[in-house]
Amino acid sequence: TADPAIATSADLSVTKALDAVPAVPGTDVTWTVTVTNAGPSDALAVELTDTLPVAQVTNAVLDPDQGTCTGATCDLGTIPAGASVDIDVTAELPEAVEAGRLVNTVDVSSETPDPTPANNSATADDPIAPAADLGVTKTGPSGTLIAGESVTYSVTVTNTGPSTAVNGGFTDVLDAAFDPSSISTNVTDGDATCAVNNLTVTCTNAA
């Protein structure tokens, strides 16, 4: 009798997609990673490695349907032929991250030979779009102003986020009744710098 050789083969593939596009600084971002085994054999000792954009995201957590993850590496165990495993990858995108691209690459491997290893890697490349909700209030004297007396107005600019407002500020055009040479500014909170040009006051935050 002949003893035929037994060979196994498991065609693994992986996809990765950002759940909400664009990525907004000051919020959490979540990717969905799907590892699929097209067979014909079971894929043994499947391992997934996620190359996170560590210069942009923090506190990443990988949560798989099966197996365990330590850091950015997951041991997914055996994936039967025709089955798939999902991994949710959640991280914080700090509010000060600038506009650009959020690039995240994931790789998958197995002890079982793979006939098409070219699809064992996937990259999600998505835009980063900061969003800052600015508001402004202005308070000052009410009623009749007395000529020759000084007047003080207070302007407050707030940012409710979620992202850092870069070069945020305001422009205030004063009434023509004021003497331009008497106008001065005083920043009482924050890092803004102000300039006066005739009757126009412009203040810009340093961040």
Side-chain angles (χ1 to χ4, degrees), residues 6-202:
I6 299 176
T8 57
S9 175
D11 181 12
L12 286 179
S13 62
V14 63
T15 61
K16 182 164 194 173
L18 187 64
D19 289 0
V21 180
V24 179
T27 67
D28 290 346
V29 291
T30 300
W31 294 269
T32 298
V33 179
T34 301
V35 180
T36 302
N37 178 14
S41 308
D42 293 349
L44 307 180
V46 178
E47 182 175 284
L48 178 137
T49 302
D50 193 349
T51 305
L52 292 161
V54 294
Q56 295 164 309
V57 301
T58 61
N59 300 322
V61 175
L62 281 69
D63 183 20
D65 280 351
Q66 72 174 47
T68 59
C69 297
T70 302
T73 300
C74 298
D75 294 320
L76 302 179
T78 298
I79 301 180
S84 62
V85 174
D86 287 336
I87 305 96
D88 290 332
V89 181
T90 302
E92 297 174 12
L93 187 63
E95 62 182 29
V97 172
E98 298 179 354
R101 307 293 298 183
L102 190 64
V103 181
N104 192 343
T105 299
V106 65
D107 297 280
V108 68
S109 62
S110 168
E111 290 182 357
T112 306
D114 191 327
T116 53
N119 58 6
N120 289 8
S121 181
T123 297
D125 185 346
D126 298 287
I128 300 172
D133 183 8
L134 294 179
V136 62
T137 60
K138 182 177 180 178
T139 60
S142 60
T144 302
L145 302 181
I146 306 296
E149 291 186 355
S150 63
V151 177
T152 299
Y153 293 97
S154 295
V155 178
T156 302
V157 178
T158 57
N159 175 21
T160 58
S163 309
T164 297
V166 179
N167 295 326
F170 69 90
T171 298
D172 188 3
V173 180
L174 300 175
D175 190 273
F178 290 109
D179 178 6
S181 65
S182 69
I183 299 172
S184 64
T185 62
N186 179 33
V187 178
T188 58
D189 188 19
D191 298 320
T193 57
C194 297
V196 178
N197 181 12
N198 198 16
L199 293 170
T200 300
V201 178
T202 303

